[in-house]
Amino acid sequence: MVALERLLDTSKPNATLVLKGYAGTGKTTLVGALVQVLAQVGRPVVLLAPTGRAAKVLAAYAGRPASTIHRRIYRMNGEEETGSGGMQIAPNKETRALFIVDEASMIGRSGLGEGPFGGRDLMKDLFQHVFASDGSKLLLIGDPAQLPPVGSDHSPALDPKELAGFGLLAGMVELTDVVRQASDSGILVNATALRKALSEEEPLPRFESGYPDVIRLDGYDLQDALETAYGQDGDDEVCVICRSNKRAYQYSQQVRTRIHDHEEELCPGDRLMVVKNDYYWAGRNGKPELIANGEPILVKRVGATEVVHGLRFADITTGWWNGQEERELEVKVMLDVLALEAPALPGSGMKAFREALFNSYSDLTKAQRLKRLREDPYAQALQVKYAYAVTAHKAQGGQWNTVFVDQGYVTADMIDKEYVRWLYTAVTRASRRLYLLNFHPRFFGESMEGE
């Protein structure tokens, strides 16, 4: 591709290329081939993605390790008196490296919520890290039809005009032709139809279910379908995608109790997803590392549970893949977050809990209290949810062999571009089988009696 050659050959500073492409247009194949070619000529390549799951997918098809953006570009400075530590941008020690950032549609401007990343501008920090070394180049890859970052109505990292505002010399290439045969994949056919619906003034998505890899399903048949999927693909390759954290919890509990016979709140073998970035736990029995928001962990053993200042905690042993190796960690998790309808513990709740802990250190000076709070395992407890069912935002960047997409509560007047974008994102998480769960007949061009 000429645009990639120009990016790699140019001597101009802050050279960036935005590669946009819809599902099936060959982004994955292109990146895999590019990484292989650059490895052969000795050109350094750094692979990044916004979430742990996305990094794992990127590493699989590129054939080399990939990291989350946060893990790569941030380091704890340990100086801020916030009780959670502060962040500084890590040095870029690469020379003439090409930084490839996949799933760039997910990259937002400012961090959300409290904690060490809360007020940071992720895009600005990424660019500062990448271009701190002379000769660095940046390739941003993303699907413009997927969901934008939380709290945004568009994907700024895929917009060359916004990139120019950071001083980047940015070009853009858009892949529009579907290169995989439509007859091979009903998933791709439906993804393409949803993407085309986005260009309509009043989008009316229509599913084609006459393909072996796309199956209509109602709630009565869900149990049998889940048993089949887990039997064929195993725990790590099945996911239910739904509209809310409440529904995700309900579906996860169904999988836990009916597929895995789990009776306790946490059991060995449970799959969890971290929902807040954390630097604390990986550093307790190894070098400081980020356990990033969205990364999966596996429960191996469950220890004691207790209540501290009104919140419940459990000690667990967990398996965690850090992008290059599998590590075993002893961590404390916050049990209350598992069933929470919010994405994580609200900031007000976390602030009140930290204040209660701070005040409990009554025999210490203020400086000693702040230090104690930064080191308190309860203040640093991992916030987790079950990973069997997730919202589309949490699923974004990931891929599973079998995906169940639940329609959720939606009426005819609620079907707008935002909903179609949600559907497109959810549908494109499936690589082999897609189950359309509880969808109204209108999505298949049918009408119900009386309508």
Side-chain angles (χ1 to χ4, degrees), residues 37-345:
V37 170
L38 293 180
Q40 292 173 1
V41 299
R43 184 76 177 256
V45 177
V46 179
L47 301 178
L48 302 175
T51 68
R53 184 83 193 193
K56 195 168 186 178
V57 172
L58 174 60
Y61 68 69
R64 57 178 296 157
S67 169
T68 64
I69 297 172
H70 285 83
R71 182 180 292 127
R72 168 74 193 196
I73 73 172
Y74 290 126
R75 295 291 182 270
M76 291 287 292
N77 61 32
E79 297 175 357
E80 291 190 7
E81 295 186 350
T82 62
S84 55
M87 287 291 124
Q88 63 184 8
I89 299 175
N92 177 7
K93 300 179 181 180
E94 304 291 343
T95 303
R96 296 182 65 251
L98 174 65
F99 285 75
I100 299 177
V101 182
D102 200 10
E103 300 292 349
S105 65
M106 300 171 64
I107 304 174
R109 291 296 310 273
S110 297
L112 300 175
E114 294 73 24
F117 301 103
R120 302 211 65 112
D121 186 327
L122 181 59
M123 280 180 58
K124 179 181 179 181
D125 290 350
L126 171 63
F127 302 150
Q128 183 174 332
H129 172 83
V130 169
F131 295 113
S133 178
D134 291 338
S136 292
K137 309 293 173 62
L138 178 61
L139 177 61
L140 296 165
I141 303 171
D143 186 338
Q146 287 191 27
L147 289 168
V150 176
S152 177
D153 60 358
H154 70 294
S155 298
L158 298 182
D159 185 347
K161 291 183 179 179
E162 291 217 26
L163 300 181
F166 292 93
L168 274 56
L169 183 65
M172 185 186 76
V173 173
E174 185 164 7
L175 304 178
T176 57
D177 293 334
V178 175
V179 295
R180 279 157 49 189
Q181 290 296 319
S183 60
D184 293 340
S185 172
I187 297 171
L188 182 56
V189 168
N190 283 285
T192 302
L194 289 170
R195 186 253 299 172
K196 290 179 178 177
L198 283 172
S199 63
E200 300 173 0
E201 194 65 31
E202 295 183 3
L204 294 172
R206 292 287 186 268
F207 287 124
E208 294 286 341
S209 58
Y211 293 87
D213 59 342
V214 178
I215 303 101
R216 293 176 66 173
L217 192 70
D218 61 34
Y220 298 106
D221 297 322
L222 176 59
Q223 179 66 24
D224 289 342
L226 283 170
E227 291 177 357
T228 299
Y230 275 94
Q232 291 177 337
D233 295 323
D235 275 15
D236 201 35
E237 289 295 341
V238 181
C239 187
V240 180
I241 300 177
C242 46
R243 295 276 286 169
S244 69
N245 287 290
K246 179 179 180 179
R247 292 290 284 168
Y249 174 76
Q250 292 169 344
Y251 279 126
S252 287
Q253 287 291 62
Q254 180 172 348
V255 172
R256 295 182 70 251
T257 58
R258 298 184 182 180
I259 303 297
H260 297 305
D261 295 323
H262 289 172
E263 297 180 354
E264 304 298 328
E265 193 169 20
L266 276 184
C267 298
D270 260 327
R271 294 187 175 272
L272 306 176
M273 175 180 287
V274 177
V275 295
K276 294 285 282 188
N277 290 309
D278 176 84
Y279 262 105
Y280 179 81
W281 292 101
R284 282 171 62 91
N285 61 346
K287 64 180 182 179
E289 278 191 273
L290 170 69
I291 303 177
N293 181 5
E295 292 193 6
I297 60 174
L298 175 67
V299 178
K300 294 189 173 182
R301 292 178 289 277
V302 181
T305 62
E306 56 190 319
V307 178
V308 177
H309 298 301
L311 293 178
R312 298 181 304 118
F313 298 87
D315 294 316
I316 66 172
T317 304
T318 180
W320 167 65
W321 182 78
N322 70 355
Q324 298 189 21
E325 63 179 352
E326 190 78 24
R327 291 184 58 186
E328 186 171 282
L329 304 176
E330 305 290 335
V331 306
K332 194 179 294 292
V333 296
M334 192 179 293
L335 293 174
D336 300 85
V337 177
L338 286 169
L340 207 62
E341 293 186 18
L345 187 70

